[in-house]
Amino acid sequence: MDRRTDEVETIIVETDAGRLAGLRQADILSFKGIAYAAPPLGPLRWRMAEPNAPWSGVRDAARCAAVCPQAVSQIEALTGGMMGEQSEDCLYLNVWTPGCDGAKRPVMVWIHGGAFVIGAGSQSTYSGEHLAGRDVVVVTINYRLGAFGFLNLADATDGNGPGSGAEGLSDQILALDWVKRNIAAFGGDPGNVTIFGESAGGMSVGALLASPVAQGLFHKAIPQSGAAHTGCDRERSARVARALLETLGLDKTGSAGLTDISAGAILKAQISLLAAARSGRDTRKLGGLPFQPTIDGALLPMRPIEAVRAGSAAGIPLLTGTTREEWKLFTGADPRLRLMSAKRLNEHVTRLAHEGAPAILGAYSEGSPFERLNAIMTDKNFTVPMIRLADAQAPRAPVYAYRFDWRSPFLGGIMGACHALELGFVFGTHGQRLARRFFGSGPAADALAAAMMDCWTAFARTGNPATSASGAWPGYDGAGDVMIFGDGAPHVLSAPNADRLRAWDDFPERKIGP
């Protein structure tokens, strides 16, 4: 007998910490707001994630929990992903599954993006019911962000303060440990776990590929628009932490009182610090991503790309890629940039590349200054890191690459195939009422979403993303074959834009990436 799509049934599942009451709607079960760690409050602020205590009775798992404190983002509103309550008590995850049975389905664990300062696994764009409908189990997680998860207070205070700057990464690892211990109760296979994430989530995937503490907790990886060129050295992350202390009016001897400072005050100081870093006038050299996992020597022994090259992720199949015009998310609606002159472009690239600027400007000679800027920044921050990760992993495991060419209809298409645009298609949520303005809708959009969801779940199932819709998908080897999504039917290109990408061959590794 068919079940009405609006019929809801309560489902009880047993985890190692206690029982949860989720919901069945149509053919998918959902369990939301599941605590996977102890609340990082009071003395646990800026400490590595710790397991949560068991509970008695049955906990409600019908709705998502609070998210890490963060500033409201225009991108959040653009994609229709309003997140609700904020709290430091934010270490929760959500599960969608076809059944709490013994089917041992592939498991896909999503790590959200947002420059390590915004976002949540509970954003509506990341709702897992459409992917789960392809007979996989989907998990989305929250983790500590910004100053709450990536503040190297220990080095900034000469060892007097807590916090190595890798606490947010420890959250992700503990969430994966929870999956290993509990996902069988939700119909998943703990021996077949794929981690996937976009932007900072993709960079988190890169960090997990490098972390010895995460080994054995996942078996395949999909970094989207974010690779392995991340990780702050301890000196730089300590500089960021000292800047935050200064913004709070504290010196390194006054850090003991940080556990008593309100989350609101910390967030306000973080917002001020980020504004200064992004202004281009900050003399403290905080970088474009001040908050990111610290190379602490334990969770992250070295820069992720170096670890992957050394074999840290041997045997882990990889599916990775970018959108065609990533940078337009940040520039597309800025009329000043759209009208920039060739002189201004030359000045910008000279600041970026110094003596390497002529080679880069020569390689990106086609189009208006605005289009050239976006192509340069897309490749520096996304395409080149993706290629270097693919090249590093290809000798040790199957690697597949994609590019997303679908163009956003928003504001007449000025944002092109921009950063984050693939998300609604990977999750099948592109047609949501608010989000469709950004992602697009209609039969072509629906077909694209179906093709991408089929490929992503095929990869999670077997380690090979090829489907009947994509056709044969060659591995990423010396030819640099890339599957194109969004420009007609999925099809393969061999080494797209190879000539211009060679301009980055001698560019310093430490300057590649965001």
Side-chain angles (χ1 to χ4, degrees):
M1 181 177 178
D2 290 337
R3 183 181 294 109
R4 286 169 49 88
T5 57
D6 58 352
E7 181 181 338
V8 178
E9 176 187 357
T10 299
I11 302 292
I12 306 296
V13 67
E14 185 88 32
T15 72
D16 61 0
R19 290 183 293 166
L20 296 165
L23 300 176
R24 179 197 295 275
Q25 189 165 16
D27 295 320
I28 301 299
L29 287 66
S30 63
F31 299 84
K32 301 176 181 178
I34 303 172
Y36 69 82
L41 305 173
L44 295 185
R45 180 189 271 178
W46 292 307
R47 300 289 183 183
M48 293 295 180
E50 297 184 5
N52 59 311
W55 62 83
S56 58
V58 179
R59 280 193 176 181
D60 178 60
R63 57 190 59 82
C64 295
V67 307
C68 188
Q70 57 193 270
V72 176
S73 164
Q74 290 180 335
I75 295 174
E76 175 192 348
L78 182 65
T79 59
M82 306 309 289
M83 290 174 289
E85 179 186 357
Q86 299 185 13
S87 170
E88 285 187 85
D89 181 6
C90 63
L91 299 185
Y92 297 88
L93 55 77
N94 315 292
V95 179
W96 289 263
T97 178
C100 294
D101 50 29
K104 299 189 72 172
R105 299 174 180 87
V107 181
M108 302 180 71
V109 180
W110 176 251
I111 305 171
H112 70 81
F116 295 106
V117 293
I118 61 172
S122 55
Q123 289 174 256
S124 59
T125 297
Y126 310 142
S127 186
E129 69 266 21
H130 302 292
L131 280 175
R134 282 159 167 78
D135 205 33
V136 300
V137 178
V138 178
V139 181
T140 68
I141 69 171
N142 293 348
Y143 55 97
R144 281 173 285 180
L145 302 170
F148 300 96
F150 301 104
L151 197 66
N152 182 5
L153 286 168
D155 287 337
T157 61
D158 300 330
N160 295 317
S164 71
E167 284 69 34
L169 187 61
S170 80
D171 298 341
Q172 297 171 10
I173 292 171
L174 190 58
L176 289 171
D177 183 70
W178 183 94
V179 168
K180 182 176 182 178
R181 291 182 283 110
N182 289 286
I183 207 65
F186 297 83
D189 181 0
N192 187 10
V193 175
T194 297
I195 55 173
F196 68 135
E198 182 267 350
S199 194
M203 289 183 269
S204 294
V205 170
L208 292 167
L209 288 168
S211 176
V213 183
Q215 287 188 355
L217 296 178
F218 62 92
H219 312 93
K220 304 177 186 71
I222 310 176
Q224 303 170 205
S225 299
H229 286 69
T230 188
C232 267
D233 62 74
R234 289 174 58 172
E235 191 282 327
R236 178 183 160 196
S237 65
R239 190 162 64 240
V240 172
R242 284 192 294 270
L244 189 91
L245 289 174
E246 292 170 6
T247 305
L248 286 166
L250 299 172
D251 60 25
K252 63 183 181 182
T253 62
S255 63
L258 277 173
T259 55
D260 298 324
I261 294 177
S262 71
I266 294 168
L267 181 59
K268 183 177 180 180
Q270 173 183 307
I271 293 169
S272 175
L273 187 149
L274 288 170
R278 291 167 180 166
S279 71
R281 297 185 297 272
D282 191 90
T283 60
R284 294 170 290 188
K285 297 181 180 180
L286 303 179
L289 281 179
F291 298 102
Q292 55 179 293
T294 297
I295 302 169
D296 67 338
L299 266 63
L300 204 55
M302 64 182 75
R303 203 167 188 223
I305 187 61
E306 297 168 0
V308 174
R309 286 195 184 115
S312 65
I316 304 292
L318 192 72
L319 170 60
T320 186
T322 68
T323 71
R324 183 171 185 168
E325 300 170 296
E326 299 269 7
W327 206 247
K328 284 189 176 179
L329 180 67
F330 315 110
T331 63
D334 188 334
R336 296 169 301 172
L337 289 176
R338 295 187 68 83
L339 297 174
M340 75 184 309
S341 65
K343 179 183 177 182
R344 186 178 176 193
L345 173 66
N346 291 351
E347 292 170 347
H348 179 90
V349 176
T350 299
R351 288 193 300 271
L352 176 75
H354 303 291
E355 65 276 6
I360 291 173
L361 287 166
Y364 295 79
S365 59
E366 297 182 2
S368 69
F370 173 75
E371 293 296 340
R372 293 168 68 196
L373 169 71
N374 283 289
I376 289 168
M377 298 303 289
T378 290
D379 286 348
K380 173 194 174 289
N381 291 306
F382 299 99
T383 313
V384 175
M386 181 275 288
I387 289 171
R388 293 189 181 180
L389 175 59
D391 288 341
Q393 185 65 352
R396 295 179 173 84
V399 174
Y400 302 88
Y402 73 88
R403 193 180 74 194
F404 187 78
D405 284 13
W406 176 270
R407 296 175 62 84
S408 171
F410 189 65
L411 296 178
I414 64 174
M415 303 184 84
C418 66
H419 189 66
L421 189 60
E422 89 280 14
L423 294 175
F425 299 90
V426 167
F427 281 90
T429 53
H430 61 287
Q432 291 177 345
R433 184 174 60 86
L434 294 176
R436 70 181 63 169
R437 297 178 302 161
F438 176 64
F439 296 118
S441 59
D446 294 343
L448 175 58
M452 294 191 75
M453 287 191 287
D454 286 346
C455 288
W456 264 236
T457 54
F459 180 79
R461 185 166 285 108
T462 68
N464 186 327
T467 67
S468 58
S470 71
W473 190 327
Y476 189 91
D477 53 19
D481 290 324
V482 175
M483 184 68 71
I484 306 299
F485 288 96
D487 180 14
H491 58 282
V492 175
L493 290 182
S494 182
N497 301 315
D499 290 342
R500 80 184 195 193
L501 290 168
R502 277 193 286 271
W504 302 95
D505 285 352
D506 297 324
F507 200 76
E509 184 84 283
R510 63 185 174 81
K511 293 187 176 181
I512 291 293

mmCIF file of all heavy atoms in Angstrom, residues 132-162:
data_model
loop_
_atom_site.group_PDB
_atom_site.id
_atom_site.type_symbol
_atom_site.label_atom_id
_atom_site.label_comp_id
_atom_site.label_asym_id
_atom_site.label_seq_id
_atom_site.Cartn_x
_atom_site.Cartn_y
_atom_site.Cartn_z
ATOM 1 N N ALA A 132 19.335 10.087 -0.083
ATOM 2 C CA ALA A 132 18.985 8.851 0.611
ATOM 3 C C ALA A 132 18.013 8.012 -0.205
ATOM 4 O O ALA A 132 18.005 6.779 -0.115
ATOM 5 C CB ALA A 132 18.388 9.166 1.985
ATOM 6 N N GLY A 133 17.194 8.666 -1.041
ATOM 7 C CA GLY A 133 16.277 7.942 -1.906
ATOM 8 C C GLY A 133 16.985 7.083 -2.939
ATOM 9 O O GLY A 133 16.351 6.257 -3.602
ATOM 10 N N ARG A 134 18.298 7.266 -3.083
ATOM 11 C CA ARG A 134 19.105 6.417 -3.973
ATOM 12 C C ARG A 134 19.782 5.302 -3.194
ATOM 13 O O ARG A 134 20.821 4.786 -3.579
ATOM 14 C CB ARG A 134 20.108 7.282 -4.728
ATOM 15 C CG ARG A 134 19.429 8.031 -5.882
ATOM 16 C CD ARG A 134 20.196 9.250 -6.326
ATOM 17 N NE ARG A 134 19.674 9.746 -7.612
ATOM 18 C CZ ARG A 134 18.574 10.458 -7.750
ATOM 19 N NH1 ARG A 134 17.835 10.765 -6.689
ATOM 20 N NH2 ARG A 134 18.167 10.869 -8.950
ATOM 21 N N ASP A 135 19.186 4.925 -2.073
ATOM 22 C CA ASP A 135 19.599 3.783 -1.251
ATOM 23 C C ASP A 135 20.983 3.967 -0.638
ATOM 24 O O ASP A 135 21.824 3.072 -0.664
ATOM 25 C CB ASP A 135 19.541 2.481 -2.049
ATOM 26 C CG ASP A 135 19.348 1.261 -1.133
ATOM 27 O OD1 ASP A 135 18.672 1.409 -0.104
ATOM 28 O OD2 ASP A 135 19.883 0.187 -1.449
ATOM 29 N N VAL A 136 21.208 5.165 -0.096
ATOM 30 C CA VAL A 136 22.383 5.414 0.727
ATOM 31 C C VAL A 136 21.915 6.049 2.032
ATOM 32 O O VAL A 136 20.767 6.492 2.150
ATOM 33 C CB VAL A 136 23.392 6.347 0.025
ATOM 34 C CG1 VAL A 136 23.885 5.742 -1.283
ATOM 35 C CG2 VAL A 136 22.794 7.729 -0.221
ATOM 36 N N VAL A 137 22.811 6.082 3.010
ATOM 37 C CA VAL A 137 22.550 6.783 4.263
ATOM 38 C C VAL A 137 23.337 8.086 4.234
ATOM 39 O O VAL A 137 24.538 8.089 3.951
ATOM 40 C CB VAL A 137 22.960 5.935 5.480
ATOM 41 C CG1 VAL A 137 22.727 6.704 6.776
ATOM 42 C CG2 VAL A 137 22.182 4.622 5.498
ATOM 43 N N VAL A 138 22.667 9.205 4.510
ATOM 44 C CA VAL A 138 23.290 10.530 4.453
ATOM 45 C C VAL A 138 23.378 11.101 5.864
ATOM 46 O O VAL A 138 22.406 11.083 6.617
ATOM 47 C CB VAL A 138 22.485 11.484 3.552
ATOM 48 C CG1 VAL A 138 23.122 12.871 3.532
ATOM 49 C CG2 VAL A 138 22.388 10.922 2.138
ATOM 50 N N VAL A 139 24.550 11.608 6.206
ATOM 51 C CA VAL A 139 24.795 12.255 7.497
ATOM 52 C C VAL A 139 25.327 13.654 7.226
ATOM 53 O O VAL A 139 26.248 13.821 6.419
ATOM 54 C CB VAL A 139 25.821 11.469 8.333
ATOM 55 C CG1 VAL A 139 26.049 12.146 9.692
ATOM 56 C CG2 VAL A 139 25.392 10.021 8.526
ATOM 57 N N THR A 140 24.760 14.674 7.863
ATOM 58 C CA THR A 140 25.307 16.029 7.791
ATOM 59 C C THR A 140 25.677 16.467 9.197
ATOM 60 O O THR A 140 24.962 16.173 10.156
ATOM 61 C CB THR A 140 24.311 17.023 7.175
ATOM 62 O OG1 THR A 140 23.192 17.211 8.058
ATOM 63 C CG2 THR A 140 23.812 16.536 5.824
ATOM 64 N N ILE A 141 26.808 17.163 9.317
ATOM 65 C CA ILE A 141 27.320 17.489 10.651
ATOM 66 C C ILE A 141 27.509 18.985 10.833
ATOM 67 O O ILE A 141 27.731 19.732 9.885
ATOM 68 C CB ILE A 141 28.654 16.766 10.925
ATOM 69 C CG1 ILE A 141 29.786 17.338 10.043
ATOM 70 C CG2 ILE A 141 28.518 15.262 10.701
ATOM 71 C CD1 ILE A 141 31.170 16.827 10.401
ATOM 72 N N ASN A 142 27.422 19.424 12.090
ATOM 73 C CA ASN A 142 27.914 20.725 12.510
ATOM 74 C C ASN A 142 29.304 20.545 13.113
ATOM 75 O O ASN A 142 29.628 19.463 13.628
ATOM 76 C CB ASN A 142 27.023 21.347 13.590
ATOM 77 C CG ASN A 142 25.645 21.717 13.099
ATOM 78 O OD1 ASN A 142 25.373 21.733 11.902
ATOM 79 N ND2 ASN A 142 24.757 22.007 14.039
ATOM 80 N N TYR A 143 30.094 21.592 13.080
ATOM 81 C CA TYR A 143 31.373 21.603 13.794
ATOM 82 C C TYR A 143 31.642 23.033 14.237
ATOM 83 O O TYR A 143 31.024 23.973 13.745
ATOM 84 C CB TYR A 143 32.509 21.061 12.919
ATOM 85 C CG TYR A 143 32.691 21.753 11.583
ATOM 86 C CD1 TYR A 143 33.630 22.766 11.412
ATOM 87 C CD2 TYR A 143 31.917 21.389 10.472
ATOM 88 C CE1 TYR A 143 33.796 23.395 10.180
ATOM 89 C CE2 TYR A 143 32.089 22.012 9.240
ATOM 90 C CZ TYR A 143 33.020 23.019 9.100
ATOM 91 O OH TYR A 143 33.190 23.629 7.890
ATOM 92 N N ARG A 144 32.544 23.206 15.192
ATOM 93 C CA ARG A 144 32.834 24.552 15.683
ATOM 94 C C ARG A 144 33.526 25.381 14.603
ATOM 95 O O ARG A 144 34.393 24.876 13.894
ATOM 96 C CB ARG A 144 33.694 24.480 16.948
ATOM 97 C CG ARG A 144 32.912 24.149 18.193
ATOM 98 C CD ARG A 144 33.814 23.919 19.388
ATOM 99 N NE ARG A 144 34.484 22.622 19.315
ATOM 100 C CZ ARG A 144 35.333 22.160 20.230
ATOM 101 N NH1 ARG A 144 35.649 22.921 21.283
ATOM 102 N NH2 ARG A 144 35.879 20.959 20.089
ATOM 103 N N LEU A 145 33.135 26.647 14.522
ATOM 104 C CA LEU A 145 33.592 27.532 13.459
ATOM 105 C C LEU A 145 34.391 28.698 14.030
ATOM 106 O O LEU A 145 34.290 29.036 15.212
ATOM 107 C CB LEU A 145 32.391 28.083 12.688
ATOM 108 C CG LEU A 145 31.463 27.056 12.038
ATOM 109 C CD1 LEU A 145 30.198 27.748 11.537
ATOM 110 C CD2 LEU A 145 32.166 26.321 10.916
ATOM 111 N N GLY A 146 35.156 29.348 13.154
ATOM 112 C CA GLY A 146 35.828 30.587 13.497
ATOM 113 C C GLY A 146 36.639 30.485 14.765
ATOM 114 O O GLY A 146 37.377 29.522 15.000
ATOM 115 N N ALA A 147 36.507 31.492 15.611
ATOM 116 C CA ALA A 147 37.273 31.544 16.848
ATOM 117 C C ALA A 147 36.902 30.429 17.815
ATOM 118 O O ALA A 147 37.691 30.088 18.708
ATOM 119 C CB ALA A 147 37.066 32.898 17.519
ATOM 120 N N PHE A 148 35.739 29.824 17.658
ATOM 121 C CA PHE A 148 35.320 28.753 18.557
ATOM 122 C C PHE A 148 35.989 27.419 18.203
ATOM 123 O O PHE A 148 36.122 26.554 19.052
ATOM 124 C CB PHE A 148 33.795 28.608 18.524
ATOM 125 C CG PHE A 148 33.078 29.844 18.942
ATOM 126 C CD1 PHE A 148 32.612 30.746 17.991
ATOM 127 C CD2 PHE A 148 32.881 30.138 20.278
ATOM 128 C CE1 PHE A 148 31.961 31.912 18.363
ATOM 129 C CE2 PHE A 148 32.231 31.308 20.666
ATOM 130 C CZ PHE A 148 31.770 32.202 19.704
ATOM 131 N N GLY A 149 36.396 27.268 16.936
ATOM 132 C CA GLY A 149 36.952 25.989 16.523
ATOM 133 C C GLY A 149 38.367 26.025 16.014
ATOM 134 O O GLY A 149 39.005 24.972 15.890
ATOM 135 N N PHE A 150 38.903 27.231 15.712
ATOM 136 C CA PHE A 150 40.204 27.302 15.047
ATOM 137 C C PHE A 150 41.046 28.445 15.622
ATOM 138 O O PHE A 150 41.601 29.253 14.889
ATOM 139 C CB PHE A 150 40.002 27.485 13.540
ATOM 140 C CG PHE A 150 39.197 26.370 12.918
ATOM 141 C CD1 PHE A 150 37.869 26.577 12.578
ATOM 142 C CD2 PHE A 150 39.755 25.119 12.707
ATOM 143 C CE1 PHE A 150 37.108 25.548 12.021
ATOM 144 C CE2 PHE A 150 39.001 24.087 12.163
ATOM 145 C CZ PHE A 150 37.681 24.299 11.814
ATOM 146 N N LEU A 151 41.167 28.497 16.941
ATOM 147 C CA LEU A 151 41.905 29.562 17.609
ATOM 148 C C LEU A 151 43.085 28.963 18.374
ATOM 149 O O LEU A 151 42.904 28.244 19.365
ATOM 150 C CB LEU A 151 40.978 30.324 18.571
ATOM 151 C CG LEU A 151 41.474 31.692 19.029
ATOM 152 C CD1 LEU A 151 41.529 32.671 17.854
ATOM 153 C CD2 LEU A 151 40.582 32.243 20.131
ATOM 154 N N ASN A 152 44.293 29.253 17.916
ATOM 155 C CA ASN A 152 45.501 28.690 18.521
ATOM 156 C C ASN A 152 45.921 29.525 19.726
ATOM 157 O O ASN A 152 46.914 30.256 19.697
ATOM 158 C CB ASN A 152 46.619 28.619 17.480
ATOM 159 C CG ASN A 152 47.901 28.001 18.029
ATOM 160 O OD1 ASN A 152 47.939 27.527 19.162
ATOM 161 N ND2 ASN A 152 48.940 28.028 17.227
ATOM 162 N N LEU A 153 45.161 29.390 20.810
ATOM 163 C CA LEU A 153 45.450 30.151 22.016
ATOM 164 C C LEU A 153 46.686 29.644 22.733
ATOM 165 O O LEU A 153 47.390 30.409 23.398
ATOM 166 C CB LEU A 153 44.248 30.095 22.957
ATOM 167 C CG LEU A 153 43.047 30.943 22.554
ATOM 168 C CD1 LEU A 153 41.829 30.577 23.396
ATOM 169 C CD2 LEU A 153 43.356 32.427 22.693
ATOM 170 N N ALA A 154 46.969 28.355 22.622
ATOM 171 C CA ALA A 154 48.115 27.788 23.346
ATOM 172 C C ALA A 154 49.412 28.493 22.949
ATOM 173 O O ALA A 154 50.193 28.918 23.803
ATOM 174 C CB ALA A 154 48.206 26.290 23.085
ATOM 175 N N ASP A 155 49.644 28.631 21.641
ATOM 176 C CA ASP A 155 50.856 29.300 21.191
ATOM 177 C C ASP A 155 50.777 30.813 21.378
ATOM 178 O O ASP A 155 51.792 31.465 21.627
ATOM 179 C CB ASP A 155 51.131 28.974 19.727
ATOM 180 C CG ASP A 155 51.631 27.556 19.533
ATOM 181 O OD1 ASP A 155 52.176 26.977 20.497
ATOM 182 O OD2 ASP A 155 51.455 27.009 18.426
ATOM 183 N N ALA A 156 49.583 31.354 21.259
ATOM 184 C CA ALA A 156 49.425 32.805 21.400
ATOM 185 C C ALA A 156 49.666 33.262 22.828
ATOM 186 O O ALA A 156 49.981 34.440 23.066
ATOM 187 C CB ALA A 156 48.033 33.231 20.953
ATOM 188 N N THR A 157 49.519 32.356 23.796
ATOM 189 C CA THR A 157 49.665 32.719 25.212
ATOM 190 C C THR A 157 50.852 32.020 25.849
ATOM 191 O O THR A 157 50.897 31.873 27.075
ATOM 192 C CB THR A 157 48.379 32.355 25.983
ATOM 193 O OG1 THR A 157 48.165 30.931 25.899
ATOM 194 C CG2 THR A 157 47.170 33.074 25.409
ATOM 195 N N ASP A 158 51.803 31.572 25.030
ATOM 196 C CA ASP A 158 52.986 30.875 25.541
ATOM 197 C C ASP A 158 52.620 29.671 26.404
ATOM 198 O O ASP A 158 53.247 29.393 27.431
ATOM 199 C CB ASP A 158 53.878 31.839 26.355
ATOM 200 C CG ASP A 158 54.374 33.009 25.515
ATOM 201 O OD1 ASP A 158 54.542 32.824 24.293
ATOM 202 O OD2 ASP A 158 54.591 34.094 26.088
ATOM 203 N N GLY A 159 51.567 28.965 25.972
ATOM 204 C CA GLY A 159 51.164 27.746 26.668
ATOM 205 C C GLY A 159 50.239 27.955 27.838
ATOM 206 O O GLY A 159 49.867 26.985 28.513
ATOM 207 N N ASN A 160 49.810 29.180 28.084
ATOM 208 C CA ASN A 160 48.947 29.454 29.238
ATOM 209 C C ASN A 160 47.463 29.270 28.928
ATOM 210 O O ASN A 160 46.654 29.214 29.858
ATOM 211 C CB ASN A 160 49.178 30.890 29.727
ATOM 212 C CG ASN A 160 50.582 31.083 30.270
ATOM 213 O OD1 ASN A 160 51.075 30.229 31.000
ATOM 214 N ND2 ASN A 160 51.223 32.181 29.906
ATOM 215 N N GLY A 161 47.101 29.207 27.642
ATOM 216 C CA GLY A 161 45.692 29.100 27.287
ATOM 217 C C GLY A 161 45.380 27.776 26.637
ATOM 218 O O GLY A 161 46.271 27.059 26.170
ATOM 219 N N PRO A 162 44.104 27.405 26.590
ATOM 220 C CA PRO A 162 43.695 26.184 25.891
ATOM 221 C C PRO A 162 43.643 26.441 24.394
ATOM 222 O O PRO A 162 43.782 27.579 23.939
ATOM 223 C CB PRO A 162 42.300 25.935 26.445
ATOM 224 C CG PRO A 162 41.770 27.325 26.702
ATOM 225 C CD PRO A 162 42.953 28.144 27.154
#
